[in-house]
Amino acid sequence: MAKKKKNEEVLPEGMSRRQAKLAARAAERAALERDPRPYGGLAMEADLVALQEFVPSAFAEIKVAGVDRKVYVATVLPGAGAALVRDEEFGGDAFVGLQTAAHSHNPNRDLAYALNWLKTAKPGETLQAAVADGSEPALDSLLSATDTLDVQAHEDFNWWLPEGTQLNPQLAQSMQAANDSILPSFPVTGDFDGVAWWIDPGEKAHIRWVRTDDEDKLLQALARIAAAGELLLGEGTKFAGVFRTHGIAVPVWDLDPAVAVSEYGPLLEALDKRIKAELDNDAALSPDERKALQNIKSRQVTIR
């Protein structure tokens, strides 16, 4: 096969061959770059992180610039798809999933891609994959930085289907399998920073507390409290450590699953006050506090 002549190459208008190659390489590098804090700057940051990383079944209404219909951001959609718009006979509402089968390094850009798709999507259409390709607008141009989420937690995925939908045996079996996979998970309510979720995978329950503080300051605050023997959420609880995801830290506690979720709200409020008091403590760490900090960091893991 004859080689394609250089003068037959189709180049971007106004670009030389060298400029086109440099632009292509820059685009490739940009696609591989990871935003250090993808949802930073949004008041809903902690909720988005929780919904994307460990909440099984929940959704919340969001306002999207340029989209007239109701839009809900959800944990996961059928088939782990990216977005869908219901038929008009079922209200025409739109849903965007955060836990998707296909994604890029930057969930904020993927979410922006899916939300932007809704601007032209028609009732009944679905978007299976929303992998950012550079065509999507910035997320903060679609979502207000000050908007918060009113997350509705569910113990099943029945909300996937509009009310009154008739299930054939195959679909009913698939729905049952999805529902059976859900671990009991509930938000912990209270007047404290961030968002906390209680989850019971079996032998012991956990609380995962998504906080948006500066990570270094938060870890030092936790270390000071741990050194004082007060990094607990009541009798029979244990501080399990901290994991990092999407640029923020998530402290975790092991709990007795027999204790009601509602009892942890006041305990988190009290601990939140302790943490806030220590966040701006610039005093040097004591030997015990340094040891506690080293212990926390040595067990810290990064999800993504």
Side-chain angles (χ1 to χ4, degrees), residues 44 48 86 92 105 107 140 176 179 197 215 230 232 235 242-243 256 262 270 283:
M44 63 179 75
L48 289 175
R86 286 179 173 172
H105 297 293
D140 59 9
Q176 187 60 52
N179 289 339
W197 282 78
E215 182 180 339
E230 298 174 355
L232 302 171
E235 186 177 351
V242 177
F243 69 84
D256 180 354
S262 59

Side-chain angles (χ1 to χ4, degrees), residues 69-294:
R69 59 171 53 93
K70 283 188 176 182
V71 180
Y72 297 88
V73 61
T75 51
V76 63
L77 299 178
L84 61 85
V85 180
R86 286 179 173 172
D87 289 324
E88 288 290 3
E89 63 179 303
F90 296 121
D93 295 343
F95 288 79
V96 173
L98 293 173
Q99 300 174 27
T100 57
H103 52 78
S104 73
H105 297 293
N106 295 294
N108 53 325
R109 303 185 196 183
D110 295 345
L111 178 56
Y113 186 103
L115 294 175
N116 196 53
W117 173 82
L118 294 178
K119 292 181 178 180
T120 56
K122 296 178 175 58
E125 290 187 337
T126 62
L127 177 66
Q128 188 57 36
V131 179
D133 60 4
S135 66
E136 71 284 343
L139 185 60
D140 59 9
S141 71
L142 298 170
L143 302 178
S144 170
T146 58
D147 282 354
T148 57
L149 297 182
D150 180 15
V151 176
Q152 307 297 313
H154 292 263
E155 298 182 60
D156 53 43
F157 288 113
N158 293 344
W159 55 268
W160 277 355
L161 301 173
E163 188 175 349
T165 301
Q166 297 298 315
L167 301 181
N168 59 45
Q170 183 178 3
L171 184 55
Q173 185 176 10
S174 297
M175 284 293 297
Q176 187 60 52
N179 289 339
D180 290 343
S181 70
I182 294 179
L183 297 175
S185 303
F186 303 96
V188 183
T189 58
D191 184 15
F192 50 80
D193 283 356
V195 297
W197 282 78
W198 179 97
I199 183 170
D200 181 11
E203 185 176 340
K204 53 188 173 183
H206 308 286
I207 277 182
R208 295 165 177 166
W209 191 1
V210 184
R211 296 189 60 100
T212 58
D213 313 282
D214 175 84
E215 182 180 339
D216 290 336
K217 289 185 176 182
L218 175 61
L219 295 187
Q220 287 200 27
L222 294 175
R224 293 182 191 276
I225 299 170
E230 298 174 355
L231 194 54
L232 302 171
L233 292 175
E235 186 177 351
T237 66
K238 176 185 177 183
F239 176 64
V242 177
F243 69 84
R244 181 192 300 110
T245 184
H246 300 313
I248 58 179
V250 183
V252 181
W253 283 263
D254 293 338
L255 317 166
D256 180 354
V259 178
V261 179
S262 59
E263 294 193 22
Y264 291 106
L267 295 169
L268 285 174
E269 290 177 355
L271 184 54
D272 185 57
K273 292 178 181 178
R274 288 292 313 277
I275 292 173
K276 288 178 179 176
E278 297 291 357
L279 284 175
D280 294 321
N281 185 347
D282 295 328
L285 295 174
S286 69
D288 286 343
E289 291 169 347
R290 287 198 301 272
K291 183 178 179 181
L293 179 60
Q294 183 179 8

Side-chain angles (χ1 to χ4, degrees), residues 19-88:
Q19 289 172 326
K21 287 183 178 179
L22 290 174
R25 289 172 184 169
E28 290 174 358
R29 287 195 300 271
L32 295 175
E33 289 176 354
R34 186 186 296 272
D35 294 332
R37 192 160 170 174
Y39 300 123
L42 297 177
M44 63 179 75
E45 178 183 20
D47 278 310
L48 289 175
V49 170
L51 294 176
Q52 186 152 46
E53 291 306 321
F54 54 79
V55 177
S57 179
F59 62 81
E61 185 174 357
I62 55 173
K63 295 179 181 178
V64 183
V67 179
D68 295 331
R69 59 171 53 93
K70 283 188 176 182
V71 180
Y72 297 88
V73 61
T75 51
V76 63
L77 299 178
L84 61 85
V85 180
R86 286 179 173 172
D87 289 324
E88 288 290 3

